[in-house]
mmCIF file of all heavy atoms in Angstrom:
data_model
loop_
_atom_site.group_PDB
_atom_site.id
_atom_site.type_symbol
_atom_site.label_atom_id
_atom_site.label_comp_id
_atom_site.label_asym_id
_atom_site.label_seq_id
_atom_site.Cartn_x
_atom_site.Cartn_y
_atom_site.Cartn_z
ATOM 1 N N GLU A 181 -5.971 -2.810 15.260
ATOM 2 C CA GLU A 181 -5.481 -3.165 13.933
ATOM 3 C C GLU A 181 -3.980 -3.417 13.843
ATOM 4 O O GLU A 181 -3.550 -4.411 13.284
ATOM 5 C CB GLU A 181 -5.871 -2.081 12.916
ATOM 6 C CG GLU A 181 -7.333 -2.130 12.540
ATOM 7 C CD GLU A 181 -8.190 -1.233 13.401
ATOM 8 O OE1 GLU A 181 -7.726 -0.833 14.490
ATOM 9 O OE2 GLU A 181 -9.320 -0.937 13.013
ATOM 10 N N HIS A 193 -9.005 -4.162 9.616
ATOM 11 C CA HIS A 193 -9.596 -3.259 8.616
ATOM 12 C C HIS A 193 -9.146 -1.836 8.900
ATOM 13 O O HIS A 193 -9.598 -1.173 9.801
ATOM 14 C CB HIS A 193 -11.120 -3.379 8.564
ATOM 15 C CG HIS A 193 -11.835 -3.204 9.856
ATOM 16 N ND1 HIS A 193 -12.229 -1.978 10.311
ATOM 17 C CD2 HIS A 193 -12.231 -4.092 10.771
ATOM 18 C CE1 HIS A 193 -12.865 -2.141 11.447
ATOM 19 N NE2 HIS A 193 -12.872 -3.401 11.762
ATOM 20 N N ASP A 194 -8.206 -1.395 8.101
ATOM 21 C CA ASP A 194 -7.641 -0.061 8.292
ATOM 22 C C ASP A 194 -7.885 0.781 7.060
ATOM 23 O O ASP A 194 -7.762 0.310 5.946
ATOM 24 C CB ASP A 194 -6.126 -0.136 8.490
ATOM 25 C CG ASP A 194 -5.728 -1.095 9.576
ATOM 26 O OD1 ASP A 194 -6.592 -1.432 10.385
ATOM 27 O OD2 ASP A 194 -4.568 -1.510 9.595
ATOM 28 N N THR A 195 -8.114 2.032 7.317
ATOM 29 C CA THR A 195 -8.366 2.992 6.248
ATOM 30 C C THR A 195 -7.206 3.959 6.198
ATOM 31 O O THR A 195 -6.651 4.284 7.241
ATOM 32 C CB THR A 195 -9.641 3.779 6.615
ATOM 33 O OG1 THR A 195 -10.734 2.875 6.547
ATOM 34 C CG2 THR A 195 -9.887 4.942 5.689
ATOM 35 N N THR A 213 -10.714 3.354 1.401
ATOM 36 C CA THR A 213 -10.771 2.088 2.142
ATOM 37 C C THR A 213 -11.561 1.033 1.372
ATOM 38 O O THR A 213 -12.367 1.379 0.509
ATOM 39 C CB THR A 213 -11.469 2.313 3.499
ATOM 40 O OG1 THR A 213 -11.334 1.155 4.307
ATOM 41 C CG2 THR A 213 -12.946 2.621 3.341
ATOM 42 N N GLY A 215 -13.173 -0.815 3.447
ATOM 43 C CA GLY A 215 -14.166 -0.944 4.524
ATOM 44 C C GLY A 215 -13.967 -2.205 5.345
ATOM 45 O O GLY A 215 -12.894 -2.813 5.328
ATOM 46 N N MET A 216 -14.985 -2.579 6.056
ATOM 47 C CA MET A 216 -14.847 -3.769 6.895
ATOM 48 C C MET A 216 -14.785 -5.018 6.021
ATOM 49 O O MET A 216 -15.583 -5.174 5.094
ATOM 50 C CB MET A 216 -16.063 -3.902 7.794
ATOM 51 C CG MET A 216 -16.083 -2.884 8.885
ATOM 52 S SD MET A 216 -17.519 -3.199 9.896
ATOM 53 C CE MET A 216 -17.361 -1.850 11.031
ATOM 54 N N ARG A 223 -22.964 -2.341 2.179
ATOM 55 C CA ARG A 223 -22.630 -1.569 3.391
ATOM 56 C C ARG A 223 -21.614 -0.469 3.044
ATOM 57 O O ARG A 223 -20.625 -0.708 2.365
ATOM 58 C CB ARG A 223 -22.053 -2.508 4.453
ATOM 59 C CG ARG A 223 -21.670 -1.811 5.773
ATOM 60 C CD ARG A 223 -20.208 -1.464 5.825
ATOM 61 N NE ARG A 223 -19.827 -0.858 7.112
ATOM 62 C CZ ARG A 223 -18.655 -0.280 7.330
ATOM 63 N NH1 ARG A 223 -17.749 -0.223 6.371
ATOM 64 N NH2 ARG A 223 -18.373 0.246 8.504
ATOM 65 N N GLY A 225 -19.284 2.585 4.932
ATOM 66 C CA GLY A 225 -18.828 3.084 6.229
ATOM 67 C C GLY A 225 -18.717 4.601 6.239
ATOM 68 O O GLY A 225 -19.325 5.309 5.421
ATOM 69 N N ASP A 226 -17.913 5.094 7.142
ATOM 70 C CA ASP A 226 -17.740 6.543 7.293
ATOM 71 C C ASP A 226 -16.802 7.160 6.250
ATOM 72 O O ASP A 226 -16.879 8.352 5.951
ATOM 73 C CB ASP A 226 -17.149 6.843 8.682
ATOM 74 C CG ASP A 226 -15.814 6.118 8.908
ATOM 75 O OD1 ASP A 226 -15.670 4.965 8.432
ATOM 76 O OD2 ASP A 226 -14.917 6.688 9.537
ATOM 77 N N SER A 227 -15.911 6.311 5.703
ATOM 78 C CA SER A 227 -14.795 6.861 4.909
ATOM 79 C C SER A 227 -15.194 7.739 3.728
ATOM 80 O O SER A 227 -14.519 8.726 3.453
ATOM 81 C CB SER A 227 -13.882 5.722 4.439
ATOM 82 O OG SER A 227 -13.474 4.984 5.557
ATOM 83 N N THR A 246 -10.573 6.580 11.289
ATOM 84 C CA THR A 246 -10.405 5.179 10.932
ATOM 85 C C THR A 246 -11.065 4.343 12.024
ATOM 86 O O THR A 246 -11.250 4.812 13.142
ATOM 87 C CB THR A 246 -8.902 4.833 10.782
ATOM 88 O OG1 THR A 246 -8.779 3.451 10.440
ATOM 89 C CG2 THR A 246 -8.125 5.091 12.059
ATOM 90 N N GLY A 247 -11.430 3.118 11.669
ATOM 91 C CA GLY A 247 -12.079 2.265 12.657
ATOM 92 C C GLY A 247 -13.511 1.952 12.253
ATOM 93 O O GLY A 247 -13.855 2.046 11.070
ATOM 94 N N VAL A 248 -14.310 1.582 13.216
ATOM 95 C CA VAL A 248 -15.681 1.145 12.911
ATOM 96 C C VAL A 248 -16.531 2.357 12.511
ATOM 97 O O VAL A 248 -16.922 3.177 13.343
ATOM 98 C CB VAL A 248 -16.278 0.382 14.116
ATOM 99 C CG1 VAL A 248 -17.735 0.003 13.838
ATOM 100 C CG2 VAL A 248 -15.454 -0.871 14.375
ATOM 101 N N GLY A 249 -16.815 2.414 11.220
ATOM 102 C CA GLY A 249 -17.426 3.604 10.637
ATOM 103 C C GLY A 249 -18.788 3.961 11.173
ATOM 104 O O GLY A 249 -19.167 5.139 11.212
HETATM 105 C C1 LIG B 1 -15.193 1.678 7.614
HETATM 106 N N1 LIG B 1 -13.773 3.252 8.720
HETATM 107 O O1 LIG B 1 -15.530 1.222 6.530
HETATM 108 C C2 LIG B 1 -13.790 2.199 7.749
HETATM 109 C C3 LIG B 1 -12.897 1.059 8.076
HETATM 110 C C4 LIG B 1 -11.666 1.398 8.814
HETATM 111 O O2 LIG B 1 -9.941 0.826 10.212
HETATM 112 O O3 LIG B 1 -11.253 2.500 8.912
HETATM 113 N N2 LIG B 1 -11.013 0.519 9.455
HETATM 114 O O4 LIG B 1 -15.920 1.682 8.600
#
Side-chain angles (χ1 to χ4, degrees):
E181 285 92 342
H193 54 88
D194 307 342
T195 292
T213 190
M216 288 182 183
R223 180 264 183 191
D226 57 324
S227 305
T246 180
V248 176

